[in-house]
Amino acid sequence: MKRLSISILFLLLTVNVAFAEITAPVTTYGIHLYFDEQEFVDILVINKDADGVLTGDMHVPNDFDGKVSNLVVNDEKIVFDLLVPKNSSRPTDLMFHYEGKFFDKSLNQMIGFVSIKGESGFVASFVGFIRD
């Protein structure tokens, strides 16, 4: 009986930790993006609908607003793509691929890298912090 109680307690603790997730209907992160040692602060807004489906939008100040695609968030990582439209400094549209790792199960802080989707080259690094 004692062994069963300990097993159940361990299972409950494991389940509680394993399912850390975005719980609020709207979660906002400040994404500090570093290109060649220059910092740019973007805003990532993740929406969770009543069915638990996540969608996201990125606001890049003085440049563009865009929808993120292929968004995956779990208790370890965040992954998504963002179409970066051409402008005077970008001659073509680019599809950026973000891959981040959360510091812990709170999902409050992340670190990561940006690449061009389908390519192995480095574009930028980022850190992200949840905003209240």
Side-chain angles (χ1 to χ4, degrees):
M1 182 67 172
K2 185 175 182 181
R3 180 180 237 172
L4 180 61
S5 296
I6 291 172
S7 296
I8 291 172
L9 178 61
F10 178 74
L11 178 63
L12 290 173
L13 289 173
T14 304
V15 168
N16 192 26
V17 171
F19 291 108
E21 63 179 76
I22 300 285
T23 56
V26 178
T27 303
T28 304
Y29 288 95
I31 303 293
H32 300 249
L33 198 63
Y34 296 92
F35 288 100
D36 297 326
E37 296 188 34
Q38 286 188 314
E39 179 184 18
F40 300 89
V41 182
D42 301 336
I43 300 166
L44 173 64
V45 177
I46 298 174
N47 297 290
K48 183 175 186 176
D49 70 15
D51 295 327
V53 175
L54 299 178
T55 58
D57 297 285
M58 182 79 87
H59 172 67
V60 179
N62 303 314
D63 199 346
F64 71 96
D65 291 314
K67 296 234 175 264
V68 303
S69 57
N70 305 314
L71 177 62
V72 175
V73 179
N74 63 36
D75 63 342
E76 295 179 1
K77 68 181 180 179
I78 182 168
V79 177
F80 61 91
D81 299 323
L82 177 66
L83 176 64
V84 178
K86 68 181 181 178
N87 66 14
S88 59
S89 65
R90 289 184 302 271
T92 62
D93 292 343
L94 300 169
M95 183 62 76
F96 279 7
H97 179 72
Y98 289 71
E99 289 194 38
K101 180 177 186 220
F102 289 109
F103 176 73
D104 60 21
K105 307 255 187 254
S106 73
L107 310 184
N108 289 336
Q109 306 91 12
M110 66 180 89
I111 59 170
F113 299 97
V114 179
S115 60
I116 294 178
K117 186 170 182 156
E119 297 182 15
S120 60
F122 172 86
V123 171
S125 59
F126 68 89
V127 294
F129 303 94
I130 203 163
R131 293 182 170 184
D132 292 325

